[in-house]
Amino acid sequence: QPPEPVRVRLIAFNDFHGHLLPGELTIAVPHPTDPARTLSVRSGGAAFLAARIAELRREQPTSIVISTGDLVGASPLESALFRDEPTIEVMNKIGVDVNAVGNHEFDRGVSELRRLVAGGCASTPLGEAVTCAHPTGRYEGARFPFLAANVVDREGRTLFAPYLVTTVGGVRLGFIGVVTRVTPGIVIPRAIAGWRFLDEAATLNRYAAKLHAQGVRAIVALVHEGGQTDGGINDCIDPRGEIFDIVRKLDKAIGVVLSAHTHRAYNCTIAGRIVIQGASFGRLVSVVDLQLDRAGGDIVHSSASNLPVPNDRNEDPEVLAAFAPLQPS
């Protein structure tokens, strides 16, 4: 009998934007017993996101928690007033394993982004925003790496690590992170002075070849770029937009693409690989279950789904019956 494959679950979310509190945001979710109908479910909030992730981890302990960019930036008051430090601290508690930078991580400049990752109190003022408001008077930074394979300085050095390789059940699994190459056109120029944003597909392919040469056969792309489709949160009708153009240029070594940026929800298979995005603000979690060949290390099976993160703001009896609020611990 061939050996059982290694099973690993990717738990991903995107474009969180510091939405720590459960607000009035909704997501249209198919009715569980009548898929032709949708229910407007109030979803999101860090405590409920944490509960959903914990639930998914209990189902599959071998899990990797991923953010595909814009974890911070354009944030509501509860995060922005404290320079987005609370969001990073909450993500440490949730147990995020890796974040690919998004364009909004650059809103306050590269130096501030580096500090947010590395820790330490800010030395330069930022309006009325406060730094190191934690009861300890310290800010410890992120306990997880940020990836930025296509953000390079004039000498070609990457801003953060281009990729992460982890080992699950004796099989190596690689993650390459890139941000939309149009970032220079959507952030303040001085925030990224001296930095170049390279083509996403070319960068992904270059690092995929490097990982493949190192014996890594299972590779996941974390791409802060997106598109749009028609249909529901797990549909892929008429896929269009930048991410789908990127995916069609990718080397076959890249088996899964976790996308972001456009705040849309879709669950596609393009060029033989899963391409998924989970809306925004922690309203959805994208779950990708992989089976890895124990001998060769390749992805031999994959499945994906977008799941809502219902919070305690729902009042409609039909919604409550179909989507009970998650219970934060």
Side-chain angles (χ1 to χ4, degrees), residues 29-32 39 41 52 308 310-311 314 318-326:
V29 183
H31 194 290
L39 295 174
V41 182
R52 176 62 91 191
N311 59 37
N314 289 291
E318 189 177 23
V319 172
L320 288 170
F323 300 99
L326 293 159

Side-chain angles (χ1 to χ4, degrees), residues 3 7 11 25 43 51 54 60 62 107 111 127 154 175 183 189 191 216 226 246 260 263 265 288 299 308 328:
R7 300 175 188 274
I11 305 171
L25 294 172
S43 299
Q60 174 50 269
T62 307
D107 284 352
S111 295
R154 292 185 177 92
F175 300 89
T183 297
V216 181
I246 292 169
H263 295 205
V288 180
I299 299 172

